[in-house]
Amino acid sequence: MKKQISLIAATLAATTLMTTPAATAQSHEGRLLTIEDVVLNRDLTPKSHPVRWIGESDSYASVDDGALIATDARTGKRRTMMTLDELNALLSTDFKTFPPYAFDDAASLAVMAHGMRNVIDLKSRAVAESYKIPVGASLTRQSGKGGIYAYTRDNNLFCFVDGRERAVTSFEDKNIVCGQSVSRNEFGISNGIFFSPDASKIAFYQKDESRVTDFPLLDITTRTGSLRNIKYPMNGMASERVSLGVYDIASGETVYMKVTDFDDERYLTNITWSPDSRRIYIQVLDRPQKNMHLNIYDASTGEFIRQVLTEHNDRFVEPQHPLVFLRNDPSRFIYATDNRDGYWNLYLCDDEGAIKRLTATDADVKYAAQDDKHVYYTSAEVSPIENHLFKVDIATGKQTRLTAAEGWHDVAVSRSGRYFLDTYSSLRVPRVVELGRSDGKPARELFRAPDPTEGFDFAEISLGSVKSADGKFDNYYRLIKPLDFDPAKKYPVILYVYGGPHSQMVRNSYQGLLRRWEMYMAQRGYVVFVMDNRGTSNRGAEYEKAIHRRCGQCEMADQMAGLEWLLSQPWTDRDRVGVHGWSYGGYMTISLMTNYPDVFKVGVAGGPVIDWKWYEVMYGERYMDTTHNNPEGFAATSLIAKAKDLRGKLLICQGAIDNTVVWEHSLSFVRECVKNNVQVDYFPYPCAEHNVYGRDAVHLYNKITGYFEDYLR
């Protein structure tokens, strides 16, 4: 039976939270965006004013008028650490602006020049150390420990110590990969090298991909074309086997942690060293991702010491964060999970398994910093579309909000905990940098960015919420009405959708986290609507895990609930509704077009998942289980069988060397359309991977825009 949209009582379903002022230049005295502006114009991003703490002090650094300035947070007194002219003279360089820099400590400034890392003593204004940085992937260094590096080359691990390179591993088998990220960057994994705090040892991932199937990617840049095989573990098929090695720099010996939990395709996540560099903590996750063991291992021998705690969830457990030890009590550590109280919260634990909730709030939180008495964290407890800084007293559990202004705050807390650097924005505020105080006294504004869109005609942006399809949650949206909006007219509608896990498309940050193409289309007479649905992040476990074993189903229901409200407005044209999205959003685009063929007239899907059996193990099995265990779920969510239901105009765009959503997805859908004599448009980007960048992206957005102009206008 064809699915049709119901508009019953939809006019009462939404709440508008805030709105930007409508454009006042009805005669278009300002500029309209071009596609080049959409893709390439960095001037439309609010200006920044980077500030950072200097070592462990309560002074912060910033670059002003070509000089590096230190400011005492307590007194506000400024001093020049180094001018650009001094730096150029010292390093024999010709920098036009102050280059990127780092502090090894409060008295040591590090700057790259001539391929060398130069450490400058700020008291003597002399170069204290200068050495050539080694070349390699995954280049990693333990902060504050001098010129010791670890890196990979040709899948093997090397370290650079005392000016010389050492081979840590020397595998000839290309299926063995050392020191690189594993598990396709899931579970909070972003690197494969972990220095001990004292820089005496290097822990590293080693993965064996010998059982993982190859997927061929076509390289058209060679004379006759060639294939480049990548290892791509598909749902239900053999996966990589991961181990953790520890290399002792002094002895040159390597031991491997003796992990025996689950089977050999388990995941080793969130590697954490103990403060004394003697033990390693590993969150060991089974392949079905329903059980996690937090284990301790002896870093010198690899022996298992103790299991601290376990987690189980019938849907999935998803560890995301390494442990953080209390600096004044290294026998205790902070552990983050969303599996115990329904939200990402922080817990105080010890090696014996004692666990106590530290952040008692029904909202997702994230660790930020600590001092001797408090833990600082950011939280969604004010609103899911805002991010604020709080502190909690470790002894009493008392929680205090530290950021006052509405919006999305990114913060850095000083070592003492007395001050924090706060960079924030909100719907109408481009960017503000403040020096905040944890004692509650007023913040000091350091910088306020001008409106980067001055001189352009921007349409009205509104933030609001619509009830989820099950009525349990508020789904937040961003709505852009056309430029020169006339409520007596009817406008075509474009639904931009992503909708997948680990995403949040709507925030109370500058312009509501606008993608400039949305404004480009609103300037040309379209209503543009973006909404987060169940399955997206920052809303707690029940909200995120609603998609389990049925990806796309509750997401579609929520998107349709939002669209019901929108199409109940008299100024929207329900006969001209389009949808666009990329990756998971490409999957959602085709899902919506084939499940609701009478609603959506036009769609553009980029890099779409078509059938979850072709997606990778780590992500796909978490949300969908396996084809063996969940055949009904795979059948219900596959778009292959839906190809015959396509009625509207659909354009699929795909990077031809996409190594995330491999080409098998979209080509299989096109093949099914051919078999069913269903017309579909297809445009590959021959040298693009999963996303399209640079000048190619200008072409892409012209292509997308032209498709809506041709068929939805």
Side-chain angles (χ1 to χ4, degrees), residues 398-447:
K398 180 182 177 182
Q399 298 176 204
T400 306
R401 177 178 168 180
L402 299 178
T403 47
E406 73 169 51
W408 194 273
H409 296 255
D410 293 308
V411 297
V413 181
S414 69
R415 168 79 176 182
S416 71
R418 288 190 287 267
Y419 305 95
F420 58 93
L421 295 168
D422 177 16
T423 300
Y424 72 89
S425 71
S426 59
L427 183 63
R428 291 175 289 273
V429 177
R431 178 173 284 129
V432 175
V433 181
E434 291 184 343
L435 174 67
R437 298 176 55 122
S438 61
D439 60 7
K441 292 183 179 179
R444 182 193 314 161
E445 185 174 302
L446 307 179
F447 172 77

Side-chain angles (χ1 to χ4, degrees), residues 259-300:
V259 182
T260 59
D261 310 56
F262 314 122
D263 63 23
D264 62 358
E265 292 185 354
R266 63 195 162 237
Y267 304 106
L268 307 183
T269 74
N270 299 291
I271 308 304
T272 307
W273 281 94
S274 63
D276 61 8
S277 301
R278 296 172 60 185
R279 302 179 307 283
I280 286 182
Y281 295 70
I282 306 177
Q283 295 176 40
V284 186
L285 182 68
D286 65 351
R287 175 165 169 173
Q289 303 179 46
K290 294 181 179 358
N291 299 282
M292 190 279 291
H293 297 167
L294 174 57
N295 295 342
I296 312 175
Y297 300 86
D298 187 307
S300 297

Side-chain angles (χ1 to χ4, degrees), residues 401-514:
R401 177 178 168 180
L402 299 178
T403 47
E406 73 169 51
W408 194 273
H409 296 255
D410 293 308
V411 297
V413 181
S414 69
R415 168 79 176 182
S416 71
R418 288 190 287 267
Y419 305 95
F420 58 93
L421 295 168
D422 177 16
T423 300
Y424 72 89
S425 71
S426 59
L427 183 63
R428 291 175 289 273
V429 177
R431 178 173 284 129
V432 175
V433 181
E434 291 184 343
L435 174 67
R437 298 176 55 122
S438 61
D439 60 7
K441 292 183 179 179
R444 182 193 314 161
E445 185 174 302
L446 307 179
F447 172 77
R448 182 173 292 266
D451 180 1
T453 67
E454 186 175 353
F456 285 82
D457 279 327
F458 268 41
E460 177 186 286
I461 305 172
S462 300
L463 301 183
S465 65
V466 179
K467 282 295 181 184
S468 58
D470 63 0
K472 295 180 180 179
F473 303 96
D474 293 321
N475 288 333
Y476 290 89
Y477 67 75
R478 174 173 67 251
L479 170 65
I480 312 175
K481 293 179 180 178
L483 194 64
D484 297 341
F485 174 71
D486 181 349
K489 292 183 178 180
K490 284 189 175 293
Y491 296 95
V493 173
I494 295 176
L495 172 67
Y496 180 80
V497 62
Y498 181 79
H502 294 198
S503 69
Q504 188 174 7
M505 303 295 292
V506 181
R507 293 177 179 174
N508 184 15
S509 58
Y510 181 53
Q511 296 182 339
L513 214 61
L514 174 78

Side-chain angles (χ1 to χ4, degrees), residues 168-315:
V168 176
T169 65
S170 55
F171 292 100
E172 295 182 0
D173 185 349
K174 298 302 182 184
N175 289 305
I176 309 300
V177 181
C178 299
Q180 296 183 15
S181 181
V182 298
S183 305
R184 293 182 68 84
N185 296 334
E186 296 295 325
F187 321 113
I189 298 170
S190 60
N191 66 315
I193 301 172
F194 313 89
F195 271 96
S196 63
D198 63 4
S200 67
K201 298 180 179 67
I202 305 169
F204 61 94
Y205 280 130
Q206 180 175 303
K207 64 178 175 180
D208 180 349
E209 297 183 299
S210 57
R211 299 191 300 200
V212 179
T213 54
D214 290 340
F215 191 90
L217 301 178
L218 175 62
D219 181 0
I220 66 163
T221 63
T222 60
R223 175 66 178 84
T224 58
S226 57
L227 295 179
R228 175 170 64 89
N229 285 328
I230 60 169
K231 292 293 185 179
Y232 195 92
M234 285 190 180
N235 187 291
M237 300 178 70
S239 188
E240 62 192 34
R241 290 167 288 173
V242 177
S243 56
L244 188 79
V246 174
Y247 175 74
D248 187 295
I249 293 175
S251 68
E253 299 295 323
T254 298
V255 299
Y256 290 85
M257 302 302 100
K258 298 175 182 178
V259 182
T260 59
D261 310 56
F262 314 122
D263 63 23
D264 62 358
E265 292 185 354
R266 63 195 162 237
Y267 304 106
L268 307 183
T269 74
N270 299 291
I271 308 304
T272 307
W273 281 94
S274 63
D276 61 8
S277 301
R278 296 172 60 185
R279 302 179 307 283
I280 286 182
Y281 295 70
I282 306 177
Q283 295 176 40
V284 186
L285 182 68
D286 65 351
R287 175 165 169 173
Q289 303 179 46
K290 294 181 179 358
N291 299 282
M292 190 279 291
H293 297 167
L294 174 57
N295 295 342
I296 312 175
Y297 300 86
D298 187 307
S300 297
T301 66
E303 294 293 336
F304 170 79
I305 296 175
R306 183 180 298 113
Q307 186 175 99
V308 179
L309 56 83
T310 65
E311 301 280 8
H312 170 80
N313 191 286
D314 288 339
R315 287 180 287 187

Side-chain angles (χ1 to χ4, degrees), residues 53-70:
W53 294 109
I54 302 172
E56 297 184 353
S57 72
D58 277 345
S59 292
Y60 59 89
S62 60
V63 175
D64 295 309
D65 297 325
L68 186 62
I69 306 297

Side-chain angles (χ1 to χ4, degrees), residues 3 63 82 106 131 133 142 152 160 208 245 351 370 373 459 499 518 546 591 618:
K3 300 183 180 180
V63 175
M82 181 159 288
Y131 55 87
I133 299 296
Q142 176 63 302
T152 61
F160 185 82
D208 180 349
D351 286 356
Q370 60 177 295
K373 295 182 179 180
E518 300 165 24
S591 295
M618 298 78 182

